[in-house]
Amino acid sequence: MSAAVNHAHGAGRANRWWAPHAWLDGRWQDDVLLVSDSGGRWATVQAGVPCPLDAQRLAGPVLPGLVNAHSHAFQRAFAGLSERREHAGDDFWGWRDRMYRVAGAVTPDDVQAIAAHLYRELLAGGYTQVCEFHYLQHQPDGTPYADPLAMGHALKAAAEAVGIGLTLLPVLYERAGFTQPALREDQRRFHLDADGVWAAHRTLAAQSHATFNAGVAVHSLRAAAPASVHRLAQLARGMDGPVHIHVAEQTAEVEDCLTATGRRPIEWLAAEGLLDPRWQLVHATHTVPAEIEAVARAGSAAVICPSTEANLGDGLADLPGWLDAGVGLAIGSDSHVTRSWTEELRWMEYGQRLLHRQRNMAAAPHQGQPATAARLWQLALDTGGRAAGQAVWGLRVGARADLLVIDTADAALVGVPGEHRLDALVFSSPGRPWRDVMVAGRWVGEADTAGRFADVMQRLWSSPSGGQDRVR
Ligand code: ZN
């Protein structure tokens, strides 16, 4: 990113830009005038306009900013540090226990430093908004901080400092499993019941501005009792923010849910009448066709996290099934082993190619959509906006004035014909070829986050055993 100015809260003066090419209404269009209003939203988006004298000419083709619909920022401090097998078997649950050592060790200041560094990387990776699935709430012994939202406020401060948009989702989290009445010792920092989630939501929603809003979340059906899920749904009945839930990520969770309730997790949510268009089903890896049909009927969406699901060995979502049913699919970087949407979309498709031994699995030539990258990108764009509680998203009047300027001189894009630009970005671009990133009508600048992040990493991981004892 080369633009210089960085502002904390996003909303800025009215401004006029002109792009030689921009992604409007699902395709590239030429000679596009973009005008933002004083609230940081698009007031004019018009193709086929010669560059006006008073407009700033953008240096390359323009994409809208993408929403990263699933993040646990603190897990960035663990990315790349769990790639060694310490026991005969190594699966999601072993990874989770090691992840808890980080969760147990960090302070609000640490979380702010980690999140600021991560959010800076996400902007560089082409995301302009992030949904924080936020369950790390309390002091290590489980006591609330003097400000009970200290951790949430640390995330908000980090987002404001680097200029990314943030949707904060306080999480309902109250038990260790379907048959367990309470949390484990190492989960004490996470406890929030339905009324606590709703109180946190109301406090955070009252602080909303152009680049900050709030929703709610349920950790998972294993971590929340049925009555609590219903209680939160009732409290949030009139809420216009999103409702997120981890669901069907692991086969063990599906089996435990079947044992406890007689239904699979998504089947249970649908049968209880909980799903509506605000609901975002994170992972939704293990499904049967009837569950996908139920999600489609309810107008809910799924948030796929391909790099994390691969890293944790979760399995592959039924991408053809979701696409055929017309369900919205957003993407999230979850544990942040990667911080670039091009890599998430690439792996969303590659997993299916490997599984089915075919190519261009996500393309739909019979629907006039032969381009795999374009179809996945447009889905992630539209659904991501919904996942972040935005009524309008993308290069559209009323949407927040976010955009990415592509550097066509990037080594990976040199010589690529315009109509294949998105294909090359997803399938042939190891780098992050954004010249500039705009959020809410302001260019996002370079924030120096590495120093504080390095300090936190040093403290977490500097012991002779590689940090495992230190943070235990
Ligand atoms: Zn998650």
Side-chain angles (χ1 to χ4, degrees), residues 38 62 75 93 99 136 212 274 313:
S38 60
V62 163
Q75 294 182 15
W93 307 101
M99 181 267 287
L136 183 55
F212 180 75
L274 287 157

Side-chain angles (χ1 to χ4, degrees), residues 70 72 75 133 135 246 249 282-283 334:
H70 191 63
H72 309 284
Q75 294 182 15
F133 196 103
Y135 59 78
H246 287 137
E249 179 178 7
V282 180
H283 302 304
D334 192 358

Side-chain angles (χ1 to χ4, degrees), residues 69-70 131 133 169 216-218 241-247 269 275-284 295 299-304 327-331 382-389:
H70 191 63
C131 300
F133 196 103
L169 307 161
V216 296
V218 176
V243 183
H244 289 227
I245 182 170
H246 287 137
V247 71
L269 287 169
L275 298 179
D276 65 37
R278 299 172 306 167
W279 281 70
Q280 309 295 320
L281 309 185
V282 180
H283 302 304
V295 174
S300 304
V303 179
I304 313 292
V327 174
L329 301 176
I331 56 165
D382 294 338
T383 313
R386 285 170 53 196

